[in-house]
Amino acid sequence: MTSSGYATERETTEGRVFTVTGGDWDTITGSIDPLSNEKIVVNMGPQHPSTHGVLRLVLELEGETVTEARCVIGYLHTGIEKNLEYRNWTQGTTFVTRADYLAPLFNEAGYVLGVEKLLGITDDITERAQTIRVLFMELNRISSHLVWLATAGMEIGAISMMLYGFREREYILDIFEETTGLRMNHAYFRPGGVANDIPESAIKKIRDFLVYMPKKLKEYEDLLSGQIIWQQRTQGVAVLDVTGCLALGITGPVLRSAGLAWDLRKTLPYSGYENYEFDVPTATTGDVWGRYQVRMAEMRESLKIVEQALDRLKPGPIFIADKKIAWPAQLALGVDGMGNSLEHVANIMGQSMESLIHHFKLVTEGFRVPAGQVYIGIEHPRGELGVHVVSDGGTHPYRVHMRDPSFVNLQAIPAMAEGALIADVIAGGASLDPVMGGCDR
Amino acid sequence: MSLESSEPVGAELGAPAQTPSSPHKGMFGIEGTGDVSGFGGLVRRKPDVVGSPKPYGSYFDEVTDALEEAYPGFADAIEKVVVDRDELTLHIVPEKIAEVAQIMRDDESLRFELCSSVSGVDYLNSDTRRLHVIYQLTSMTYRRRVRLEVAVPAGGSVPTVTSVYPTADWQEREAYDMFGVLFTGHPNLTRILMPDDWEGHPQLKDYPLGGVPVEYKGAEIPPPDQRRVYQ
């Protein structure tokens, strides 16, 4: 073992410790006597390109076989739940949107549905606002699945897939930007409706996207499905059956890949999903291959929902009629992003004192939410996103807990990885699609 | 909550306002400056959570009846049943939570196969047993949801439900990490989101949010937990 270069070693009470980067692996394995040192503990992460963000895996290996795997999380804990307790109910959306950064609109949806249920205004949300929410959630589902396909492809060695996946995702982010002013972290869904209406230009972009995307999905499948390496890296890898999924609380595409058609949009519908026609794709293999097929099929189903939502989009108000809750601002997209429309500012400052008072009170104080607690579960791209919202009757949330699917699903890593090869830890971990922003919150 | 010391504040000439810092008194949480708003003496009382009378409506009667039939210790284990906003909450005696969870999962007419979420809430100043642990159960067979809730004093312990729902493992660790609830019998009750050597439990209401003042265009804005807020 040479001490030059990057692969340094030191003796500790627990054994020899190596620091390895990239290609130094060979020098280490070459220097270890395979007879006396069969076991090796590898710290994968927290900054490892194949662990989807700052996830740390502690793997105990015998040769190339994983005998024990443990996840260490918390590296991206940002205290979102605690911070929410110091902001008013409307400001809450700007925080929750940052939890799972690949599915911001789902975080917002779960939170605002919770607040609306506490307020008892679930049925008063306008038709157009509901439709826009469904439309945007499904677009977001596609963009999230695209990132999954892109990163999972990269991790299993299909680098081109990474480029294609991110390229098409950009198309969706453009649509979001056109409407909300931001590519991510939109704070677009608000308690009572959505922040602003979809401009015509964005609707045209969505129509174009509906024509463009199916061809691309076909292209991905042409690229991957018949590929022998892709098949061998995914088929029969990281198998988890329905019993295992239920015990570990795994939901979403992973559960559906094991054969159980549990999708909250169908089974416990919300936001008017019962009015849309779509299927819940399942597979029976319960492996990475099955999850790949389920997610590909889900993107097609989402496109179907997006198309139906566009057809249902009738002109109308996008915010609840109750002026005690509706955000008083008239937002417009300026050159530097979303802000108050200048006409509205001129009006309340110069014309109507009452409007100004109303605006000031609602924006600085916010509305009060009657005391109580609710739990909302929605179908997030990764499984059930549960939001438990507690109010003490004040203008701030008393407690908000997000049951993030990434957090719960990561518990399956030991079940999937132990006894398998180290290379399959990467494929299995990727197939769970964990997003650490959501996991650690 | 009582109405103790609800004298008008700032009434004495020249004296600083004594707006109490309790989150349920006054309107702005100000201390040390004169409060001329007249709102400083406001006291907001929180109603106690009371049990709901039968019939509960929806599928809630079926669930409670099925549990009563399947579980002989029903009367001792259930503190109260609350139906609010179309959701059913069963308040359980902490020691019995694992037993109840077992029956909720296994009984044929209940079948709550999935434990969706476990989380904590800190009811500081409004409940003597301030820490509540909340279990959201989902029945995939019947497409129902139910909430179990237990309450313990600070640093109290609750039996783990990991033997019934292995998914509760990390979620109980999070509740321990954030609130300091001890789950007895948990296989590995360590911190999960905060570093191992962290002191305190950050989600407790008496744990400060922290932060630094921020300067913006010459004006200094205090950290979020020290700003004036409407309450």
Side-chain angles (χ1 to χ4, degrees):
Chain A
M1 177 98 220
T2 56
S3 60
S4 64
Y6 298 101
T8 55
E9 61 169 287
R10 64 197 152 88
E11 291 290 335
T12 67
T13 49
E14 280 137 7
R16 257 192 299 172
V17 172
F18 301 94
T19 306
V20 194
T21 53
D24 301 328
W25 189 249
D26 285 342
T27 50
I28 293 220
T29 45
S31 75
I32 293 176
D33 171 17
L35 291 177
S36 61
N37 272 315
E38 289 175 328
K39 249 181 204 171
I40 172 167
V41 178
V42 172
N43 241 320
M44 203 167 86
Q47 299 289 8
H48 188 277
S50 291
T51 53
H52 271 270
V54 282
L55 167 67
R56 177 174 153 213
L57 292 171
V58 184
L59 304 173
E60 197 176 286
L61 305 174
E62 269 187 35
E64 275 202 72
T65 309
V66 180
T67 53
E68 233 181 298
R70 290 290 174 270
C71 298
V72 183
I73 61 166
Y75 294 95
L76 211 54
H77 178 58
T78 44
I80 286 175
E81 291 172 6
K82 177 95 175 170
N83 264 299
L84 284 176
E85 294 165 16
Y86 295 86
R87 307 299 199 287
N88 68 33
W89 291 96
T90 306
Q91 286 174 312
T93 55
T94 61
F95 280 80
V96 294
T97 190
R98 283 158 171 79
D100 186 332
Y101 42 79
L102 293 184
L105 292 165
F106 289 91
N107 304 330
E108 294 172 22
Y111 172 77
V112 302
L113 287 174
V115 179
E116 284 162 5
K117 194 168 180 188
L118 272 173
L119 283 164
I121 57 167
T122 309
D123 297 333
D124 303 333
I125 306 305
T126 62
E127 178 74 31
R128 189 173 171 88
Q130 295 261 31
T131 315
I132 293 177
R133 282 182 185 175
V134 169
L135 176 68
F136 269 49
M137 276 195 277
E138 292 311 316
L139 284 171
N140 199 174
R141 190 183 310 277
I142 299 172
S143 75
S144 174
H145 280 356
L146 280 174
V147 174
W148 170 77
L149 191 61
T151 53
M154 180 185 67
E155 287 165 10
I156 307 182
I159 302 286
S160 341
M161 193 56 245
M162 194 263 287
L163 300 170
Y164 298 155
F166 275 105
R167 182 184 66 193
E168 265 70 79
R169 172 179 180 250
E170 209 59 31
Y171 207 124
I172 297 176
L173 296 189
D174 279 350
I175 296 169
F176 289 162
E177 187 178 1
E178 191 96 19
T179 308
T180 70
L182 292 162
R183 299 165 73 244
M184 298 165 81
N185 307 335
H186 314 281
Y188 180 58
F189 297 173
R190 304 282 172 87
V194 293
N196 59 312
D197 214 338
I198 307 187
E200 273 307 311
S201 53
I203 291 189
K204 191 180 169 302
K205 270 194 178 157
I206 300 171
R207 291 266 182 219
D208 292 345
F209 179 72
L210 285 174
V211 179
Y212 170 82
M213 198 57 207
K215 286 185 240 159
K216 293 293 162 189
L217 288 174
K218 173 90 179 28
E219 214 175 281
Y220 304 154
E221 281 175 341
D222 289 347
L223 183 72
L224 297 174
S225 297
Q227 229 290 335
I228 190 78
I229 301 176
W230 182 261
Q231 289 173 0
Q232 289 185 347
R233 288 297 306 272
T234 57
Q235 288 175 351
V237 168
V239 178
L240 199 64
D241 61 3
V242 173
T243 322
C245 283
L246 286 190
L248 292 167
I250 316 295
T251 45
V254 182
L255 177 60
R256 291 192 283 273
S257 78
L260 184 63
W262 179 259
D263 185 322
L264 291 169
R265 292 175 293 172
K266 279 276 188 214
T267 53
L268 296 162
Y270 52 91
S271 289
Y273 267 111
E274 61 274 22
N275 305 321
Y276 294 85
E277 253 177 63
F278 62 100
D279 296 324
V280 178
T282 54
T284 48
T285 50
D287 56 2
V288 181
W289 174 259
R291 287 160 212 155
Y292 157 66
Q293 290 196 312
V294 165
R295 287 198 176 95
M296 292 305 286
E298 266 179 26
M299 283 196 260
R300 296 202 164 91
E301 295 304 318
S302 291
L303 285 174
K304 276 206 273 190
I305 302 175
V306 168
E307 190 165 8
Q308 292 170 48
L310 273 187
D311 294 339
R312 294 165 63 99
L313 207 58
K314 301 280 178 299
I318 51 158
F319 236 111
I320 188 170
D322 186 348
K323 289 290 178 201
K324 287 287 181 193
I325 292 166
W327 194 242
Q330 307 292 311
L331 295 178
L333 205 53
V335 283
D336 56 347
M338 184 68 65
N340 263 321
S341 85
L342 293 174
E343 297 94 79
H344 177 66
V345 174
N347 179 46
I348 61 171
M349 294 301 282
Q351 305 288 317
S352 170
M353 187 64 187
E354 289 74 20
S355 298
L356 181 64
I357 295 170
H358 175 71
H359 187 119
F360 179 77
K361 285 286 279 179
L362 255 186
V363 172
T364 56
E365 179 178 352
F367 49 80
R368 277 163 214 282
V369 172
Q373 58 177 337
V374 294
Y375 177 83
I376 292 285
I378 65 169
E379 190 66 31
H380 185 278
R382 283 164 266 290
E384 175 175 344
L385 172 74
V387 186
H388 177 228
V389 193
V390 185
S391 172
D392 68 340
T395 55
H396 294 184
Y398 189 73
R399 161 95 172 118
V400 177
H401 174 72
M402 297 174 83
R403 179 259 195 222
D404 194 272
S406 302
F407 178 81
V408 179
N409 290 6
L410 268 179
Q411 294 188 88
I413 291 241
M416 286 176 172
E418 286 175 6
L421 296 177
I422 185 167
D424 296 342
V425 175
I426 307 292
S431 74
L432 290 173
D433 192 15
V435 173
M436 299 316 288
C439 174
D440 293 346
R441 288 154 285 137
Chain B
M1 186 167 288
S2 69
L3 279 162
E4 85 270 43
S5 72
S6 57
E7 276 176 51
V9 287
E12 225 171 294
L13 201 66
Q18 292 143 19
T19 316
S21 57
S22 155
H24 304 294
K25 274 188 201 141
M27 209 166 181
F28 305 100
I30 313 161
E31 272 176 298
T33 58
D35 177 7
V36 291
S37 70
F39 289 110
L42 280 182
V43 177
R44 194 148 43 88
R45 270 169 296 177
K46 254 197 303 179
D48 277 340
V49 179
V50 288
S52 309
K54 276 193 166 191
Y56 306 126
S58 191
Y59 56 82
F60 306 146
D61 292 291
E62 267 179 62
V63 170
T64 45
D65 292 348
L67 180 63
E68 194 163 5
E69 199 176 303
Y71 183 43
F74 183 84
D76 299 330
I78 310 293
E79 290 176 354
K80 61 186 163 193
V81 179
V82 178
V83 175
D84 181 34
R85 294 175 171 92
D86 217 20
E87 289 186 16
L88 174 67
T89 310
L90 302 176
H91 290 254
I92 315 277
V93 174
E95 293 75 39
K96 309 278 187 188
I97 182 70
E99 288 171 27
V100 174
Q102 181 86 46
I103 287 160
M104 292 297 270
R105 188 192 72 179
D106 293 342
D107 188 75
E108 262 182 28
S109 45
L110 292 165
R111 285 218 191 283
F112 287 89
E113 302 97 339
L114 180 69
C115 177
S116 286
S117 170
V118 179
S119 67
V121 183
D122 178 14
Y123 288 99
L124 178 67
N125 293 335
S126 59
D127 190 345
T128 47
R129 298 183 298 167
R130 62 184 271 201
L131 299 181
H132 289 215
V133 182
I134 281 132
Y135 306 79
Q136 309 283 351
L137 307 186
T138 305
S139 164
M140 290 174 156
T141 309
Y142 299 109
R143 300 187 181 177
R144 289 169 174 172
R145 287 191 195 276
V146 77
R147 178 187 302 120
L148 307 182
E149 186 165 342
V150 301
V152 290
S157 60
V158 180
T160 177
V161 297
T162 46
S163 54
V164 186
Y165 297 112
T167 178
D169 183 346
W170 281 21
Q171 309 194 48
E172 285 183 352
R173 280 176 65 190
E174 189 189 336
Y176 159 72
D177 193 359
M178 292 296 153
F179 294 93
V181 183
L182 297 168
F183 293 92
T184 47
H186 190 283
N188 177 32
L189 194 67
T190 52
R191 288 191 181 273
I192 185 163
L193 294 178
M194 304 304 285
D196 288 343
D197 55 355
W198 194 264
E199 280 176 27
H201 299 281
Q203 283 275 12
L204 292 176
K205 286 285 174 185
D206 44 13
Y207 187 101
L209 178 68
V212 290
V214 179
E215 193 243 275
Y216 181 66
K217 293 193 174 175
E220 195 164 90
I221 296 142
D225 56 354
Q226 289 163 34
R227 286 177 204 162
R228 289 184 173 198
V229 285
Y230 293 89
Q231 282 156 342

